[in-house]
Amino acid sequence: MSAPPPPPPAAAASTPTSFNQTRMELRTLMELRGAEGYEKVTELGGVATLCSDLCTDVTTGLSGAADDLAKRHDTFGANTLPEKKSVSFLMLCWEAMQDLTLIILIISAAVSLALYFVTTYLLEHPGGDDSEESQEWIDSAAIFASVVVVVFVSAGNDYVKEKQFRGLQNKIAADHNFAVIRGGESIQIPVTDIVVGDIAQIKYGDLVPADGILIASNDLKIDESSLTGESDHVKKTETTDPMILSGTHVMEGSGKFVVVAVGVNSQTGIIFALLGATGEEKETPKAEKPKGGERDLRKSMADLRKSIRSSLKMGSNKDLAVKEDVPVASDDGKSVLANKLSKLAVQIGYMGMLFAAVSFIVLMFRFCVETYAIQEEPFRPSHVSEWVTFFITAITILVVAVPEGLPLAVTLSLAYSVRKMMKDNNLVRHLDACETMGNATTICSDKTGTLTTNRMTVVQSYVCGELYVTTPPKFDSLPANVGEVLVQAISYNTASTSLVMPGTQPGEPVTQLGNKTECALLGYVQDMGQSYAALREQLPEEKYTIVYTFNSVRKSMSTVIPKPGGAGGFRLFTKGASEIVLQKCTKIMGPSGSIDAFGKEGIDRVYKEVIEPMAAQALRTICVAYKDIDGTPNWDNEDAIVKELTCICIVGIEDPVRPEVPDAILTCQRAGIVVRMVTGDNVATARSIAQKCGIIEPGSDLLVIEGKDFNAQIRDESGEVSQALLDKIWPRLRVMARSSPTDKYTLVKGIIESNFENNRQVVAVTGDGTNDGPALKKADVGFAMGITGTDVAKEASDIILTDDNFTSIVKAVMWGRNVYDSIAKFLQFQLTVNVVAVVVAFLGACAISTSPLKAVQMLWVNLIMDTFASLALATEMPTPELLLRKPYGRTKPLISRVMLKNILGGSIYQLIVIFTLLFWGDSLMDIDDGSYDKVPTPHLTIIFNTFVMMTLFNEINARKIHGQRNVFKGFFSNPMFYGIWTLTFAAQVFIVVIGGRWFFVYPLTAEQWLWCVAFGVGTLFWFQIVTSFPTKWVPDLMKKRSAKPKTGGKGDTGPVQDVNWVPGITAVQSTDDGATLQQKPASSMAVPPPAAAPSSEPSPPPNEDGTDVSIVEMATSKKKKHH
C-alpha cells in the first residue's frame, strides 16, 4: 500500500469563492483543436495556471468536499444532458389511433351512425321510431366504444413499456463509472458526478465523459471520428494537441486531464443540443413561422441534423466508404424472430385483405340481387346504411385477421425477460438480442474472466536459471542486482490503476483492482517481501520518459524511465507474451546475477524446458526483461529501442477455471450449441484450459489452431479470405490461440455467412477489449464483460455480463428460448382464432348474408387475442427443459409442423362446432332460428359465447407447442396466466348477461351456458386427439426453399416488407428509439458508438445491419487485454 498522500493545497481543499474562468470561456476554449488549442492554453499560462484558475491541483485534484462540488455544479453545470420529455399518455393514445384499420372502423361507424339518423329521423320517420329495428345506432356506438377500449389498452401498454425502458436506461447509466483523482487518491465515481476541475484519468478502451485539457500522457491516441468524422487516430500530447473531447474513445495509451466542460457545455453536449436530443429545442411560434431564407436555413439545419446523427451512429468515414457495387442493407434490425414475424405478418395480412374484400363483394352482390332483382325494391337511403354495415363487417374481418397483437406480444415478452435477466447478471442493451440468443448455435467465448475466474496468481517463476514452484523466491535469496531490477521492472512497467489491496477483514484474500495480469505480478512482488507502492511514490508516472502501451501488435508493454542512481541515460522495462519478448532478448540473468549471452539455442532450451511445461499446466507465461540505454534515442522508433533486451525472469500465472463452467458447457452441448474458445494465450495453455472446461476431450480430433495458421489456411492465392476454405475449418474448430481481433472477426463473419449446413448458424460472441468491437458488432449477439470490458466493447455489445461469467450466457440462452417459445405459443393461439373467425365471418356472409359474429363481438375477440393473450402467454417462466432441445437456428420456419398440426386441428374442431350450431343449433337446442334476425337472439348468442369459450380453453392448449400432452403442467406457477384467463372468462359472462344490444347478445339460460362451456372444454380433449396424430403426416407448408443468405439485417432471412399495420414489429427491432436499452446521453455522457479507423487488412464489407465494419476500429495495433 502506498503511504498516505500529502494534504491537498488549500485551493483544492476549501470551497473557492470564485473562479478565474467562466463557463463560456471554457466552452470557447474547447472549440479549438490541435496547435490552436495548445497556443490558447499557453496564452492562459499553461495547464498548471488553468488548474489554479479552476481552484484544483494537478497532482491531488479536488478535495471532494460537498460544498465545493455543489458550487462547481451550480457554476459550470452538471455532467448530464436534460432528458427529452417522455411521451404523454394522451399522445400515446393519439399514436394508437393512427392504426389504419381503426381509422377505417371509426369512419365507417361514423358514416353508419350519420346515415341511421338521416334515414330514421329525417327521411323515413320524421317523428322518430321506437321500434326494435330503430336501435341499430347501438352497433355504431358499440364500435366506437370498442375502439376506445383498444386505444386505451394499447396506449397503457406503451406507457408502461416506456417507463420500464427509461428505468433500464437509467440503470445502465448509473453503472457507468470513471476514474478521477480526489484528495490525492484515484477513485471511481459515476460519470454524472464529474465536475469542472476534476482531474480525470483515461486509459485504453475508455469513453471520454467530459471535455478537458491534457496534463500528462503515455503514448495516448484517441479516436475522434464520432465528433469529427476523421478516421485516423489522433495522437495527444501536452505540447501538440492537449484537447480531450467528450464522446471520443481512447484507442491506445493512458493519461490524465483536467475537466473544463461538462454536460450541455461539452462538445458532445453542444451537438446533442443541436440535434434536439436534450429536449431544449423550442418550437417556433405560429406567429413566427420561417419564411424564405429562414425556411432554407431550417432545411439546412435539418440536413445537418441528419448528417450529425449519422456521424454519431456510424462515423463519417470517407476512406472506408461503401463501394457502389456492394449491396447495402437497410438497418431494419437483426432479430431472427422479428424478421420471421414480419414476413408472416405480411402473409397473414394479405390473406385477411383477400377474405375481407371477397366478403364485402359477396355481401354487396347478394344484397343487390335479392333487393333490386328478386324483390324489385327501389333504391332507398337506408340501403346505404346496409352497405356501410357490409363494409364494417369486411373491415372487422381484416381487424381479426391482421395480427396486431404480434408486436405487443413480442414487446411484452422481451421486456418481461429483460427485467428477469438482470437478476441473472445479463444487462440487455438491445431487446432483440434477448430472443436471438435463444436461437444461438455457436458461442465464441473469451477465456480470461469468462471461462476462468480472472483471479490471477503467479504460481511458477524462472529466475537466475532456477525454477520456483508454488512460492516465489525470497528477495534476499536473489543476487542484489537481480532482485532490484526485477522489482523495478514490475513496479514501474504496470499501469498505475492496477493495485493489490488487502482484504477488509483478517484472513480475507487481497482485492485485485485493474488489470488482473498486472495484479498477479504486483502480488508476486509483495510475496517477495517488497513494496511496489514505495517505488511508484519515488518515481510517479508523470516522470516516466515514455510508455509503449500494450496492444495486439506488440503483445507487450514497455516503459522507459531515467536510469536509477542519477548516472544519466535511461532504463527500459518490457513485459509481455513470453515467446514474443524472448525473441527480442540477447542476454539473460544467470546464476549469481551474471549477465549471460542468450542465443537461439538458449531461447529454444528455455522454451522447451520452462515455457512449454508451464503452458501444459494451463499457465499464462509472461517474460520480464530490461535494457539500459545511453544517450537520447528517437523515442518514436520503437523497433530500434525495444530490442537486444536482457531477460530477467519468466513467470507462470494461473487463472483457475470457474468451477461452474464445465457443467455450463456440457449444458450448452446438450442444447445443441457449440462452444468455441478464442484466446490470446498460446496453444498449449489454450488446449489445457479447453480440456478442463470440456470444450475438447483429450485425444479428440477437433481442431486447436493458432491465429497465424488459421489465417494461412483460409486465404486463397490472392491473399483474400475464401469462404470455401473457411468452411473446411470452422466446423471442426474448437480453440483458436494467439488470435488477433481481426482473426476473431473473420471467424465470426465466416460462420454467420456460411452455407455449409442447411440451417445457417446464429453466433454469439464475448469480448472485453476495444478491438473486440468488430466481432461484437458482427455477431448476432455480442456479450461484453461488465467488469473487465472497455467502454468501447460495451458500446458495441448487445448484452453486458455484469459478472463476466459464462454461466450467465447459458441463462441468456434459456431466457432467449423462452421468449421464442412464448411468441410461438401466442402465434399458435392467435392463428387458430384467426382461421376460425375469418372463415366463420366469410362463409356466414356467403350463406346467410351476414356474419354470425358481429363487428363488436369480433372486436372483443380481437381484444382477447391481442392484449389479454399477449400478457398471459408472454410471461411464462423458463424451465430447464428448454435446454434439452436443439436450437431453431436462422432458417428454421417460425411455425413448426407440430404447431401447424395444432392450428389446423384446433380450427377444424371449432369450425365444426360453430357451423353445426349455425345451421342445426336451433333444433339441437330447441330454440328459434335467429340466423337472419337483425336483433339479438339466443341462437347467435350461443354461437358467439361458444366461440369465446373454445378460444379461452384453447389458450390453455396453446401453452404447449412441442407435442406435450399435459397442458396443465406449470399452469399454477404463472399467476399472470390464470389470473388473466379467469378475468377474461368473468368478462365474457358479464357481456352475455348484461351486454344486450351493445354486444348483440341475448341472456342465456343455465343449460345453454353449460353447453357453451362443454364445447369449450371439448377443445382440451380434442387437443389430445390432435397430439396423437402423427406429425410426419402434416405437410411442411412453412419449409423454406432456400437457405442462402440474403442482403438484410443481422438475422435476416430475406427481404421484409414493411406494412403500416405492424409498426410495433419494427419498433421492437429499433436500435435508436425507446425499444433500445442503450447508454443514452440523456442520462450521462456515455454517448455515441465509435467510428472506425482504416485497417491494415482490406476493408471488409459492411455489416449486415447496414453499418460499416468501421463502427469499431479493426486496426491490429490494439488488444483486448492490457498486460
Side-chain angles (χ1 to χ4, degrees):
M1 289 295 294
S2 59
S14 59
T15 304
T17 55
S18 63
F19 303 97
N20 293 334
Q21 295 288 337
T22 66
R23 181 188 308 195
M24 290 307 300
E25 288 173 343
L26 295 173
R27 177 169 169 166
T28 303
L29 171 64
M30 291 310 303
E31 293 175 356
L32 302 176
R33 300 286 185 273
E36 290 184 352
Y38 172 68
E39 291 174 2
K40 182 64 176 178
V41 172
T42 304
E43 182 183 319
L44 294 174
V47 68
T49 302
L50 182 61
C51 288
S52 178
D53 291 343
L54 296 176
C55 303
T56 188
D57 185 83
V58 173
T59 305
T60 60
L62 301 178
S63 64
D67 51 354
D68 178 24
L69 299 179
K71 184 172 179 63
R72 293 174 187 275
H73 183 282
D74 295 338
T75 304
F76 300 108
N79 196 33
T80 59
L81 296 176
E83 288 192 5
K84 193 172 183 178
K85 291 183 179 179
S86 58
V87 182
S88 67
F89 180 77
L90 291 179
M91 182 57 68
L92 291 173
C93 290
W94 174 253
E95 291 177 358
M97 289 180 62
Q98 305 310 304
D99 183 89
L100 181 61
T101 51
L102 289 183
I103 293 174
I104 294 175
L105 275 177
I106 293 172
I107 294 174
S108 302
V111 171
S112 176
L113 192 63
L115 288 172
Y116 165 76
F117 282 114
V118 168
T119 57
T120 302
Y121 292 96
L122 296 181
L123 300 179
E124 298 182 357
H125 305 281
D129 186 1
D130 295 329
S131 65
E132 187 70 28
E133 289 81 357
S134 69
Q135 305 302 311
E136 292 179 0
W137 65 270
I138 294 179
D139 292 341
S140 300
I143 291 176
F144 281 126
S146 300
V147 169
V148 169
V149 171
V150 171
V151 167
F152 271 80
V153 170
S154 299
N157 281 320
D158 288 341
Y159 186 74
V160 172
K161 180 180 68 178
E162 175 76 10
K163 289 185 66 177
Q164 292 171 349
F165 288 157
R166 285 186 176 270
L168 289 171
Q169 290 168 2
N170 293 336
K171 164 70 175 171
I172 294 173
D175 289 344
H176 187 205
N177 294 330
F178 206 79
V180 300
I181 299 174
R182 287 186 181 176
E185 293 286 345
S186 177
I187 61 173
Q188 294 280 334
I189 64 172
V191 293
T192 53
D193 291 348
I194 293 175
V195 295
V196 170
D198 262 323
I199 305 300
Q201 297 174 303
I202 51 176
K203 64 183 184 305
Y204 161 83
D206 280 346
L207 176 65
V208 180
D211 293 351
I213 306 298
L214 192 62
I215 298 173
S217 65
N218 291 311
D219 196 25
L220 183 62
K221 294 181 181 178
I222 291 182
D223 177 7
E224 295 184 346
S225 58
S226 58
L227 290 179
T228 66
E230 294 298 328
S231 59
D232 292 337
H233 295 168
V234 180
K235 186 174 179 61
K236 298 287 183 177
T237 68
E238 302 88 300
T239 57
T240 57
D241 185 0
M243 317 305 287
I244 306 297
L245 305 176
S246 60
T248 59
H249 291 89
V250 181
M251 305 304 289
E252 270 192 66
S254 60
K256 67 177 183 178
F257 67 94
V258 57
V259 176
V260 299
V262 295
V264 293
N265 298 297
S266 68
Q267 295 303 294
T268 298
I270 293 171
I271 288 180
F272 271 82
L274 178 65
L275 291 173
T278 63
E280 292 188 342
E281 281 192 340
K282 305 295 183 182
E283 293 185 4
T284 305
K286 292 183 179 180
E288 301 178 10
K289 288 185 178 179
K291 298 180 180 179
E294 291 185 52
R295 189 180 297 112
D296 295 336
L297 176 62
R298 286 295 176 85
K299 184 178 183 299
S300 299
M301 289 296 291
D303 294 340
L304 176 62
R305 178 177 305 187
K306 291 179 181 178
S307 65
I308 293 178
R309 187 181 297 277
S310 176
S311 172
L312 291 174
K313 291 177 68 177
M314 298 189 299
S316 177
N317 196 335
K318 298 178 182 177
D319 295 333
L320 291 180
V322 179
K323 296 180 181 179
E324 291 183 3
D325 59 345
V326 177
V328 180
S330 60
D331 187 9
D332 64 348
K334 61 181 178 182
S335 167
V336 175
L337 173 62
N339 275 310
K340 292 179 181 180
L341 285 175
S342 296
K343 297 179 72 175
L344 183 65
V346 172
Q347 295 165 356
I348 295 173
Y350 286 155
M351 291 300 297
M353 286 188 281
L354 176 64
F355 274 96
V358 173
S359 298
F360 178 71
I361 293 172
V362 169
L363 288 170
M364 284 290 296
F365 179 78
R366 181 164 181 165
F367 175 81
C368 291
V369 169
E370 290 181 351
T371 304
Y372 302 127
I374 298 177
Q375 300 177 10
E376 298 182 350
E377 291 186 14
F379 171 79
R380 290 187 298 175
S382 60
H383 293 170
V384 178
S385 179
E386 292 285 347
W387 300 346
V388 173
T389 301
F390 298 155
F391 186 69
I392 290 177
T393 300
I395 293 299
T396 306
I397 291 175
L398 179 61
V399 170
V400 175
V402 169
E404 309 101 308
L406 276 178
L408 179 60
V410 172
T411 302
L412 286 172
S413 183
L414 291 176
Y416 174 77
S417 298
V418 164
R419 293 197 309 272
K420 296 293 185 180
M421 287 174 70
M422 290 180 68
K423 298 179 181 178
D424 287 335
N425 302 307
N426 285 276
L427 185 57
V428 180
R429 300 181 68 248
H430 299 142
L431 279 178
D432 54 16
C434 178
E435 56 86 6
T436 303
M437 194 58 207
N439 292 293
T441 57
T442 290
I443 299 176
C444 294
S445 176
D446 277 346
K447 175 184 74 69
T448 304
T450 310
L451 301 176
T452 60
T453 61
N454 205 21
R455 288 194 57 84
M456 299 192 182
T457 308
V458 175
V459 295
Q460 294 187 27
S461 57
Y462 178 75
V463 188
C464 295
E466 186 174 349
L467 182 64
Y468 296 85
V469 180
T470 306
T471 58
K474 294 299 181 184
F475 183 78
D476 295 338
S477 67
L478 295 175
N481 62 325
V482 176
E484 180 183 359
V485 74
L486 175 57
V487 173
Q488 289 177 357
I490 294 175
S491 301
Y492 294 140
N493 194 30
T494 48
S496 60
T497 53
S498 296
L499 302 169
V500 178
M501 310 292 288
T504 56
Q505 300 294 333
E508 283 191 358
V510 296
T511 301
Q512 296 180 338
L513 303 178
N515 185 277
K516 305 303 181 182
T517 303
E518 292 187 337
C519 287
L521 293 172
L522 295 175
Y524 180 70
V525 170
Q526 290 183 332
D527 291 340
M528 292 171 60
Q530 298 300 296
S531 171
Y532 70 87
L535 287 180
R536 287 181 175 180
E537 287 179 5
Q538 293 174 15
L539 188 69
E541 196 174 19
E542 292 80 9
K543 296 183 180 180
Y544 293 176
T545 304
I546 192 170
V547 177
Y548 302 107
T549 54
F550 185 93
N551 62 38
S552 59
V553 172
R554 299 181 181 122
K555 293 191 181 295
S556 64
M557 174 182 177
S558 300
T559 299
V560 180
I561 65 170
K563 188 181 294 183
F570 304 90
R571 177 165 288 175
L572 165 75
F573 299 112
T574 297
K575 74 173 189 303
S578 55
E579 62 267 37
I580 302 296
V581 176
L582 275 181
Q583 297 299 324
K584 299 180 180 181
C585 292
T586 58
K587 301 174 183 178
I588 188 170
M589 286 187 156
S592 73
S594 61
I595 307 298
D596 301 332
F598 195 45
K600 185 178 185 304
E601 292 183 1
I603 293 175
D604 292 343
R605 180 184 58 81
V606 169
Y607 193 86
K608 184 176 181 180
E609 297 178 2
V610 178
I611 296 176
E612 285 187 353
M614 286 184 181
Q617 300 173 57
L619 302 184
R620 169 178 288 184
T621 57
I622 301 293
C623 179
V624 181
Y626 85 107
K627 171 187 177 181
D628 285 334
I629 303 172
D630 296 325
T632 304
N634 178 11
W635 299 118
D636 291 333
N637 190 358
E638 179 187 347
D639 292 337
I641 295 172
V642 186
K643 68 177 185 177
E644 298 178 354
L645 307 177
T646 299
C647 175
I648 305 172
C649 74
I650 297 171
V651 297
I653 299 176
E654 182 183 46
D655 187 11
V657 172
R658 291 180 182 268
E660 65 274 18
V661 162
D663 288 340
I665 289 180
L666 181 60
T667 300
C668 285
Q669 292 168 347
R670 287 173 178 167
I673 302 172
V674 176
V675 180
R676 295 178 167 89
M677 186 171 75
V678 183
T679 179
D681 275 338
N682 61 49
V683 170
T685 302
R687 185 190 301 274
S688 177
I689 292 291
Q691 290 177 353
K692 290 182 178 180
C693 293
I695 294 175
I696 58 175
E697 297 294 333
S700 170
D701 63 345
L702 295 174
L703 191 58
V704 178
I705 193 171
E706 278 194 340
K708 62 180 181 180
D709 297 329
F710 171 76
N711 260 298
Q713 295 183 33
I714 65 172
R715 296 185 183 274
D716 56 23
E717 295 177 354
S718 62
E720 298 293 328
V721 175
S722 167
Q723 185 66 49
L725 294 175
L726 189 56
D727 285 344
K728 295 179 180 179
I729 293 178
W730 74 258
R732 290 178 52 242
L733 189 148
R734 292 298 181 271
V735 178
M736 188 192 295
R738 287 296 179 220
S739 65
S740 69
T742 306
D743 298 334
K744 193 174 189 177
Y745 172 85
T746 303
L747 175 64
V748 172
K749 180 174 181 290
I751 296 176
I752 290 176
E753 297 182 355
S754 174
N755 289 319
F756 181 78
E757 297 178 350
N758 291 332
N759 198 16
R760 289 176 56 211
Q761 299 286 303
V762 177
V763 182
V765 172
T766 69
D768 56 4
T770 296
N771 277 326
D772 286 329
L776 290 171
K777 283 294 288 186
K778 182 64 181 176
D780 295 289
V781 181
F783 286 89
M785 303 297 105
I787 300 173
T788 60
T790 64
D791 290 338
V792 176
K794 293 175 183 177
E795 286 286 334
S797 70
D798 301 294
I799 299 175
I800 297 175
L801 297 178
T802 57
D803 62 347
D804 290 10
N805 195 331
F806 185 84
T807 55
S808 298
I809 300 177
V810 179
K811 294 176 182 175
V813 172
M814 186 168 67
W815 275 106
R817 293 188 176 188
N818 187 64
V819 169
Y820 198 101
D821 279 9
S822 294
I823 305 307
K825 292 172 186 177
F826 172 76
L827 197 57
Q828 176 177 294
F829 168 74
Q830 187 180 50
L831 290 182
T832 304
V833 181
N834 281 1
V835 169
V836 175
V838 170
V839 171
V840 167
F842 174 72
L843 294 183
C846 297
I848 61 174
S849 300
T850 184
S851 172
L853 300 174
K854 303 305 178 184
V856 68
Q857 294 174 350
M858 285 195 285
L859 286 175
W860 164 238
V861 173
N862 197 54
L863 191 65
I864 294 176
M865 289 192 304
D866 287 350
T867 301
F868 300 146
S870 297
L871 287 168
L873 293 171
T875 54
E876 293 271 343
M877 289 292 290
T879 63
E881 294 176 357
L882 292 168
L883 298 176
L884 298 179
R885 63 168 173 80
K886 303 297 182 184
Y888 291 133
R890 189 185 303 276
T891 53
K892 185 178 177 66
L894 181 59
I895 300 178
S896 67
R897 296 174 79 174
V898 174
M899 290 173 60
L900 186 61
K901 178 179 70 173
N902 295 339
I903 293 169
L904 294 177
S907 300
I908 290 172
Y909 170 81
Q910 295 188 32
L911 288 172
I912 291 174
V913 171
I914 289 176
F915 282 117
T916 298
L917 291 175
L918 178 62
F919 295 112
W920 299 285
D922 53 336
S923 58
L924 293 175
M925 298 283 185
D926 194 21
I927 54 177
D928 295 332
D929 183 4
S931 304
Y932 297 91
D933 290 348
K934 295 185 178 181
V935 294
T937 63
H939 187 190
L940 291 183
T941 302
I942 289 174
I943 293 175
F944 165 59
N945 198 37
T946 299
F947 177 47
V948 173
M949 289 296 110
M950 291 190 296
T951 297
L952 282 175
F953 283 96
N954 189 52
E955 190 173 347
I956 299 176
N957 290 334
R959 296 180 62 249
K960 304 301 176 183
I961 59 173
H962 298 297
Q964 305 98 317
R965 288 189 176 275
N966 187 0
V967 295
F968 287 97
K969 184 178 180 180
F971 181 86
F972 294 102
S973 63
N974 186 5
M976 180 74 76
F977 183 91
Y978 62 74
I980 290 175
W981 192 93
T982 304
L983 287 175
T984 308
F985 191 101
Q988 175 65 16
V989 174
F990 180 81
I991 287 172
V992 172
V993 171
I994 68 169
R997 181 59 191 256
W998 285 90
F999 279 89
F1000 208 83
V1001 292
Y1002 190 91
L1004 301 178
T1005 65
E1007 182 183 357
Q1008 292 167 344
W1009 263 105
L1010 286 175
W1011 276 109
C1012 294
V1013 174
F1015 286 128
V1017 174
T1019 60
L1020 299 176
F1021 295 99
W1022 179 257
F1023 183 80
Q1024 300 302 312
I1025 298 175
V1026 172
T1027 302
S1028 302
F1029 190 84
T1031 304
K1032 63 181 180 181
W1033 292 358
V1034 178
D1036 198 359
L1037 301 178
M1038 309 303 293
K1039 185 177 181 179
K1040 290 179 65 64
R1041 291 181 171 83
S1042 173
K1044 292 184 178 181
K1046 300 179 182 179
T1047 301
K1050 289 182 182 179
D1052 183 54
T1053 55
V1056 177
Q1057 289 182 267
D1058 192 14
V1059 282
N1060 56 5
W1061 36 262
V1062 283
I1065 291 179
T1066 47
V1068 168
Q1069 304 173 64
S1070 172
T1071 56
D1072 190 33
D1073 298 323
T1076 303
L1077 311 181
Q1078 297 193 45
Q1079 288 186 348
K1080 292 197 176 181
S1083 302
S1084 73
M1085 296 303 296
V1087 286
S1095 168
S1096 58
E1097 300 291 334
S1099 297
N1103 277 348
E1104 290 185 0
D1105 63 354
T1107 60
D1108 201 282
V1109 166
S1110 58
I1111 272 291
V1112 181
E1113 203 253 337
M1114 282 197 59
T1116 57
S1117 60
K1118 287 88 202 165
K1119 176 68 178 169
K1120 63 183 178 180
K1121 287 289 180 186
H1122 176 196
H1123 284 289

